[in-house]
């Protein structure tokens, strides 16, 4: 044991000596990172600092924005319902479902993001519009997407709870009212689609359970017999293809 420790110490000393020798022979430049606070020389410096702080805040909230302001919530709910309907426990795993939900979200939201890039981001990067105008332009396609998917009943609920006058049109609905209405609508739509997917697999479970009871095999868990039939049915009808198609077409 002592010999092993001695050898390890010797190897470490040799490695340090080689590093020191190579550093002395040729100096390797290392980056230096520093943060500091300085006195603002003008109002523009303060405005730029606030903009940077706002951008950092938006980036920290980016995962929540992707989950709540896009099609991600509906997609991940339907995929989770599909897995539970099959009864395969952790197959496919959560990482696979979330990855699939993210890429389906990118696919369904691509027209919205292309609109934001063309009308807001690129003009702002080319110094054609101000930061405020870019934010206003970027919010337009996102609001249009949420308005198409939001239920009128949910919109009416949050409009009444906000104690605001009845809006004359969609453009009069504030964003803080539109966002929760959109989220509630997405949850409802996801649960409805999940229930529809659940029904055929529930029928298979019931048929297998009744068959086992009629045969007197009450001690045999029905899930052990119904699981292969559900997986076989799902594979034969190309289930993932149908689920992805239903999810994508539900946003158009």
């Amino acid at each position: 044991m002592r010999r092993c420790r001695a050898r390890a110490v010797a190897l470490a000393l040799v490695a340090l000596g080689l590093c020191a020798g190579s550093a002395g022979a040729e100096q390797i430049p290392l980056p230096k990172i520093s943060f500091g606070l300085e006195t603002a020389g003008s109002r523009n410096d303060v405005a730029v600092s606030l903009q940077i702080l706002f951008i950092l805040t938006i980036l920290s909230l980016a995962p929540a924005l992707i989950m709540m302001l896009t099609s991600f919530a509906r997609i991940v709910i339907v995929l989770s319902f599909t897995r539970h309907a099959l009864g395969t426990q952790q197959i496919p795993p959560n990482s696979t479902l979330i990855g699939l939900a993210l890429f389906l979200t990118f696919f369904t939201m691509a027209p919205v993001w292309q609109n934001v890039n063309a009308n807001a981001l690129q003009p702002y990067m080319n110094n054609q519009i101000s930061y405020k105008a870019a934010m206003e332009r970027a919010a337009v396609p996102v609001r249009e997407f949420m308005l198409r998917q939001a239920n009128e009943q949910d919109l009416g609920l949050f409009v009444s709870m906000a104690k605001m006058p009845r809006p004359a049109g969609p453009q009069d609905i504030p964003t803080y009212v539109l966002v929760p209405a959109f989220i509630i609508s997405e949850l409802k739509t996801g649960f409805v689609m999940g229930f529809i997917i659940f029904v055929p697999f529930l029928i298979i479970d019931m048929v297998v359970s009744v068959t086992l009871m009629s045969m007197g095999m009450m001690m045999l868990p029905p899930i052990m017999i119904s699981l292969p039939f559900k997986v076989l049915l799902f594979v034969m009808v190309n289930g993932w293809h149908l689920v992805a198609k239903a999810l994508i077409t539900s946003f158009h």
Side-chain angles (χ1 to χ4, degrees), residues 205 208-210 212 217-228:
D205 287 334
V208 171
S209 180
V210 171
L212 291 177
M217 306 173 70
M218 292 180 292
M219 300 301 294
L220 181 64
I223 188 64
M224 295 183 60
I225 307 301
S226 62
L227 178 59

Side-chain angles (χ1 to χ4, degrees), residues 4-232:
C4 294
R5 291 180 180 177
R7 290 177 182 178
V9 172
L11 290 174
L13 292 175
V14 171
L16 290 174
L18 291 176
C19 292
S22 60
E26 181 179 357
Q27 294 293 333
I28 301 176
L30 297 176
K32 178 183 178 181
I33 300 175
S34 61
F35 297 93
L37 297 175
E38 298 179 359
T39 304
S42 62
R43 293 183 178 180
N44 292 331
D45 295 338
V46 178
V48 171
S49 301
L50 292 177
Q51 290 178 4
I52 294 174
L53 181 61
F54 179 74
I55 292 174
L56 292 176
T57 304
I58 294 297
L59 290 177
S60 63
L61 296 176
L65 295 177
I66 292 176
M67 292 179 185
M68 296 291 100
L69 303 184
T70 63
S71 57
F72 179 82
R74 182 192 304 185
I75 294 173
V76 76
I77 288 173
V78 174
L79 293 179
S80 299
F81 264 105
T82 303
R83 185 177 65 180
H84 286 294
L86 284 171
T88 54
Q89 301 299 324
Q90 296 297 322
I91 300 175
N94 291 330
S95 57
T96 303
L97 287 185
I98 294 176
L100 177 59
L102 281 174
F103 280 100
L104 289 177
T105 301
F106 295 154
F107 183 83
T108 55
M109 298 296 296
V112 177
W113 291 337
Q114 290 173 1
N115 193 346
V116 171
N117 182 60
N119 296 326
L121 182 59
Q122 292 302 324
Y124 175 72
M125 297 294 291
N126 296 328
N127 296 324
Q128 297 176 357
I129 59 176
S130 63
Y131 177 77
K132 184 178 180 181
M135 292 295 293
E136 293 177 352
R137 289 188 181 184
V140 171
V142 179
R143 282 177 52 87
E144 291 178 351
F145 171 79
M146 290 191 293
L147 284 169
R148 287 198 306 268
Q149 307 302 326
N151 191 359
E152 293 183 1
Q153 184 178 2
D154 297 327
L155 284 173
L157 170 65
F158 287 98
V159 167
S160 62
M161 293 182 66
K163 297 180 181 180
M164 56 178 294
R166 184 182 180 89
Q171 68 278 359
D172 297 329
I173 300 176
T175 303
Y176 73 91
V177 173
L178 177 59
V179 171
F182 167 75
I183 296 173
I184 295 298
S185 300
E186 287 294 287
L187 292 176
K188 177 184 176 181
T189 306
F191 272 74
V192 170
M193 296 180 66
F195 173 77
I196 295 174
I197 294 174
F198 227 105
V199 170
F201 299 105
L202 180 61
I203 294 175
I204 294 177
D205 287 334
M206 294 176 62
V207 171
V208 171
S209 180
V210 171
T211 303
L212 291 177
M213 290 182 64
S214 63
M215 297 175 62
M217 306 173 70
M218 292 180 292
M219 300 301 294
L220 181 64
I223 188 64
M224 295 183 60
I225 307 301
S226 62
L227 178 59
F229 289 101
K230 291 190 291 186
V231 173
L232 179 62

